[in-house]
Amino acid sequence: MRKKFLGANWKMNLAYQKSKDLYTELSSLSPPSSELVIFPSTLFLSEFASLNGLPLGAQDVHFETYGAFTGSVSPLQLKSISCEYVLIGHSERRQYFNENNVLVNLKLKCAIQSGLKVIFCCGEPYENRKSSTHLSFVLAQIKAAFNEINETDLKNCIIAYEPIWAIGTGLNASQVEIEEMHGFIRESFSNSYGTDAADGLRIIYGGSCNQDNASAIFSYKDVDGGLVGAASLDFESFQKIITAL
Ligand code: PGA
């Protein structure tokens, strides 16, 4: 039985006090039976970690453990402040920071070797959905990212399927689209790592998930939870999504 996972990706939103208040408020809820992880700005991770609230994740990480990389944050630095998770391959990193599949693979390997758990994000642009090349597009992302990742490493990964056209648009993917892709992703991992590994792998959905559609989305076949952006910035709305899990 796969444990459900819910991530709150706050992106570059909320200043210090608002972030802290929201983190504190969410942490004071009775502990969920599923896994709930908050991804605030990297700037606040260290202090929030000292509050002993909900588990924390970073939104990005460098591909080396240490070194002369001005402005970057290393996976070992994240690990040293008890940050547990990191998002890798998010479409906004790919789009605005030119992160390609090769870089995503380097980050993934270094993060896992450093003891972090990874949420690997994949998903197709609208053109690929329109031309029915969405499956091959996502498969290429997965194959590149998981190059030299073994079955033990895979246990520390969660896959987030986030169609780019659904992120921040208010237009979530349909049941048919989500189930097709999640089933396809699980089958791809089964082909590379075997059925046991694929059965244990959590595949979550992201892209305009909100309090109105969360409960339906979380009930779809092969959906093990969600990664929520905009709707996780408000306590009441995110609380409803937690309840829907
Ligand atoms: P959204 O973002 O929920 O605002 O669409 C999801 C994400 O980017 O992870």
Side-chain angles (χ1 to χ4, degrees):
M1 187 65 180
R2 298 184 294 268
K3 191 175 189 175
K4 296 262 184 192
F5 180 97
L6 183 60
N9 177 12
W10 291 352
K11 309 190 182 187
M12 200 177 72
N13 293 301
L14 306 180
Y16 170 72
Q17 197 57 50
K18 279 211 162 141
S19 296
K20 190 175 173 184
D21 290 348
L22 184 53
Y23 178 70
T24 310
E25 223 175 345
L26 290 168
S27 297
S28 70
L29 293 171
S30 51
S33 54
S34 39
E35 205 173 347
L36 180 56
V37 179
I38 310 297
F39 296 81
S41 162
T42 306
L43 192 59
F44 309 139
L45 280 171
S46 176
E47 186 191 333
F48 291 5
S50 71
L51 301 174
N52 291 317
L54 288 166
L56 290 159
Q59 299 172 17
D60 182 38
V61 71
H62 194 74
F63 61 88
E64 295 273 0
T65 47
Y66 286 118
F69 298 103
T70 302
S72 289
V73 173
S74 105
L76 285 179
Q77 289 173 326
L78 291 174
K79 189 72 192 156
S80 73
I81 55 148
S82 305
C83 173
E84 265 185 64
Y85 276 93
V86 63
L87 301 179
I88 292 181
H90 192 283
S91 65
E92 285 150 17
R93 299 291 319 170
R94 295 179 192 257
Q95 184 180 350
Y96 302 121
F97 301 91
N98 297 320
E99 293 196 5
N100 59 25
N101 285 336
V102 175
L103 183 61
V104 167
N105 174 246
L106 290 176
K107 288 188 173 194
L108 208 141
K109 285 191 285 196
C110 192
I112 290 177
Q113 277 156 21
S114 304
L116 292 173
K117 294 177 204 154
V118 171
I119 312 290
F120 165 71
C121 305
C122 56
E124 80 286 355
Y126 184 63
E127 304 81 69
N128 292 85
R129 172 62 58 180
K130 231 169 76 183
S131 61
S132 296
T133 51
H134 50 291
L135 297 179
S136 55
F137 184 91
V138 168
L139 183 62
Q141 287 184 320
I142 291 173
K143 282 219 173 303
F146 285 83
N147 183 33
E148 295 178 352
I149 297 292
N150 64 32
E151 202 186 318
T152 312
D153 295 338
L154 187 66
K155 290 200 172 84
N156 289 315
C157 297
I158 292 176
I159 313 301
Y161 169 55
E162 301 201 295
I164 298 173
W165 47 272
I167 296 180
T169 58
L171 190 79
N172 60 286
S174 70
Q175 176 169 7
V176 171
E177 290 164 339
I178 294 174
E179 289 188 346
E180 179 199 41
M181 185 60 85
H182 281 230
F184 175 76
I185 292 173
R186 199 172 301 289
E187 190 187 308
S188 312
F189 277 94
S190 175
N191 293 338
S192 329
Y193 294 90
T195 19
D196 283 356
D199 282 348
L201 182 66
R202 288 180 288 179
I203 306 172
I204 62 175
Y205 170 80
S208 297
C209 189
N210 59 40
Q211 61 186 74
D212 299 321
N213 60 27
S215 131
I217 292 174
F218 297 157
S219 73
Y220 298 160
K221 188 169 186 303
D222 277 312
V223 175
D224 303 306
L227 184 58
V228 183
S232 71
L233 296 170
D234 174 75
F235 178 74
E236 273 79 31
S237 107
F238 194 54
Q239 192 186 20
K240 289 194 177 117
I241 298 173
I242 298 171
T243 314
L245 197 61

